Amino acid sequence: VIQVLVVGSGIAGTAAALAASRAGARVTMIALGPGASSLAGGALDLAPWDAHGEAAPDLEEDALAVVDALDAFDVRGPSRIVATLAGILRPARGVDRALLDLGPLHDATVWVPSVDWPRWDAPLLARFWSDSAEAGARRLVFMTAPAHMIERSEELAMAEADMAALHDSPARIAWLASRLEEGKKAGAPAASAVLLPPWLGLERSRAEALALAVGVPCGEAMSGPGGPSGLRFERARDRALAASGVERVLGQVTSLAYDGAWRATLAGGAGGEPLAAFDAVVLATGGLLGGGLAYRPMSGALAADPRAAAAPLLTATLDAPLLVGMRGAPLRPPSSLFGGAPESHAWPFAPGSLLERGGVLVEDEGRVRGAPRGLLAAGEFAADAPRTWLSALSTGARAGRAAAGA
Ligand SMILES: Cc1cc2nc3c(=O)[nH]c(=O)nc-3n(C[C@H](O)[C@H](O)[C@H](O)COP(=O)(O)OP(=O)(O)OC[C@H]3O[C@@H](n4cnc5c(N)ncnc54)[C@H](O)[C@@H]3O)c2cc1C
């Protein structure tokens, strides 16, 4: 049996582990903790969403099998429309099932229940959503009317994720449904959907159970960083990995070396027994947020040590036979000690620039360029792929499948 090591437990690492395991490999996953995947808000894009409308390829079978194993997201069918807490409606290729998909609604009234909870300004949000171009095109009206959705006063101080955890209880969902029925009858009888704060479950989405009880589609607005959607992803991942028999180790991989098989070194203390030798390794350590890549402008290095030599701005944080670059070419040290101005490396000042595209150079299926056989990279750690959730899932699934055939 092929032994595969996956480093990283974001969506790319999860997809790699599930795909490799589905292809018959024995999989070990080592990860340090949460990354970008645990902070995303539940809208799943393949291309960045402001590039929607451009033809995006279909998801491959392995990627769809990962989505099915997670059993928490909808990606099939037409593009979705979600409402964000920043007050806009935006398209998404897929969604966390707790989010309300406005895509099927036209000529409709959406009820945004107002409630005395500090982080949900229903009148303001409803006004922004109604005024958005997408609402105009679909003739959607967002209206408010009160609903008594707070049971105990301490809930007023709770964060969204804690409110979502309360709604894991079927009794609380039944209570919420009865409050919504009352509020709808009194203030929003014509509403054809209910758009709620991001409260609808932490273990799993409770939106469907609520919709069944209320009789119209109910769902969350897209949460901001640290909201319940990222935590629901973690729960779905943990269930899927356990069901597929992936062994998990908490730890930080500091280096990888090849001597006919791949061997990983873990940061001190976390390791215990030395790890077995692996036939293939998928690096899914994320980008700047996940910790796989580091941004080191020379101004910082020079402030710490005036003798510092110029070095590339972006580096991998673990030691392995790989090259960091973009557009197929390795990065070189800047010709000036200070490098370029920071804004020349980042969106929105410079679209398609280093911080959006830089990463480990890979060939087909995510094989790390120039590395011995069996080293792959996926997700935000790999160069030149969109920094999106579904891109990380797709590249992860492809790398996992390739690793299992190593
Ligand atoms: C706030 C926010 C909002 C977003 N919104 C959207 C959106 O609306 N739509 C969309 O499509 N995308 C969105 N994204 C982007 C999307 O979430 C990411 O592109 C995707 O989750 C990246 O997944 P990943 O698995 O590559 O990396 P990550 O999820 O970052 O995972 C990296 C993993 O590697 C581990 N790791 C790192 N180094 C080591 C090491 N040395 N040893 C062991 N483990 C290590 C980390 O602990 C982590 O588990 C958003 C991201 C953020 C942060």
Side-chain angles (χ1 to χ4, degrees):
V1 178
I2 302 266
Q3 310 275 337
V4 172
L5 173 65
V6 173
V7 189
S9 63
I11 184 57
T14 301
L18 292 173
S21 162
R22 181 166 175 256
R26 197 165 153 229
V27 183
T28 303
M29 174 187 273
I30 304 182
L32 195 51
S37 306
S38 301
L39 292 176
L44 316 181
D45 302 298
L46 193 52
W49 70 268
D50 46 4
H52 260 266
E54 292 169 21
D58 281 336
L59 292 177
E60 290 166 10
E61 194 203 322
D62 280 320
L64 289 172
V66 168
V67 175
D68 291 343
L70 289 169
D71 192 18
F73 304 97
D74 289 327
V75 300
R76 290 183 172 80
S79 175
R80 326 286 155 133
I81 304 286
V82 296
T84 79
L85 290 180
I88 59 165
L89 304 186
R90 62 94 132 187
R93 175 66 181 268
V95 281
D96 169 340
R97 277 182 202 148
L99 270 59
L100 182 66
D101 175 18
L102 298 160
L105 300 178
H106 293 267
D107 280 313
T109 300
V110 179
W111 177 30
V112 186
S114 53
V115 56
D116 190 15
W117 189 69
R119 281 168 295 289
W120 182 248
D121 189 338
L124 191 72
L125 287 169
R127 218 174 81 203
F128 274 111
W129 288 329
S130 292
D131 285 349
S132 69
E134 195 73 50
R138 294 165 174 269
R139 292 189 295 278
L140 296 183
V141 175
F142 294 80
M143 54 86 58
T144 56
H148 302 288
M149 305 189 291
I150 296 292
E151 203 174 11
R152 288 166 300 140
S153 57
E154 60 262 36
E155 292 170 17
L156 296 176
M158 282 188 179
E160 287 155 353
D162 295 318
M163 289 300 287
L166 285 182
H167 290 85
D168 277 331
S169 141
R172 176 69 183 231
I173 286 291
W175 181 83
L176 176 62
S178 68
R179 297 287 81 84
L180 289 176
E181 276 171 294
E182 258 170 34
K184 189 171 182 303
K185 217 177 281 167
S192 32
V194 189
L195 185 51
L196 291 151
W199 287 359
L200 300 182
L202 208 58
E203 286 303 320
R204 303 172 180 275
S205 162
R206 312 287 159 175
E208 201 182 337
L210 185 66
L212 275 175
V214 176
V216 291
C218 297
E220 297 178 346
M222 185 183 165
S223 57
S229 186
L231 298 169
R232 281 192 294 264
F233 155 69
E234 292 185 352
R235 266 81 173 162
R237 170 199 65 196
D238 294 350
R239 286 190 294 265
L241 291 175
S244 65
V246 171
E247 185 200 355
R248 294 182 65 182
V249 178
L250 185 67
Q252 179 184 5
V253 174
T254 52
S255 67
L256 276 173
Y258 186 75
D259 61 4
W262 288 98
R263 292 174 202 280
T265 308
L266 298 190
E273 291 292 299
L275 292 173
F278 295 95
D279 301 298
V281 180
V282 180
L283 295 172
T285 48
L288 296 178
L289 218 144
L293 297 171
Y295 173 67
R296 295 206 177 93
M298 279 308 293
S299 45
L302 285 169
D305 178 1
R307 295 159 304 174
L313 272 177
L314 204 61
T315 49
T317 55
L318 59 69
D319 184 20
L322 47 78
L323 288 169
V324 173
M326 64 186 271
R327 295 185 209 283
L331 290 185
R332 284 187 306 228
S335 52
S336 127
L337 269 185
F338 295 98
E343 59 270 28
S344 65
H345 304 301
W347 182 91
F349 306 102
S353 55
L354 179 65
L355 296 191
E356 258 178 274
R357 300 191 64 126
V360 172
L361 297 179
V362 293
E363 315 279 356
D364 291 348
E365 299 172 316
R367 292 177 197 284
V368 172
R369 189 202 288 184
R373 175 189 167 79
L375 186 64
L376 298 107
E380 291 205 353
F381 190 53
D384 295 318
R387 266 43 172 171
T388 61
W389 210 93
L390 282 176
S391 170
L393 184 149
S394 302
T395 56
R398 215 173 293 148
R401 148 80 58 176

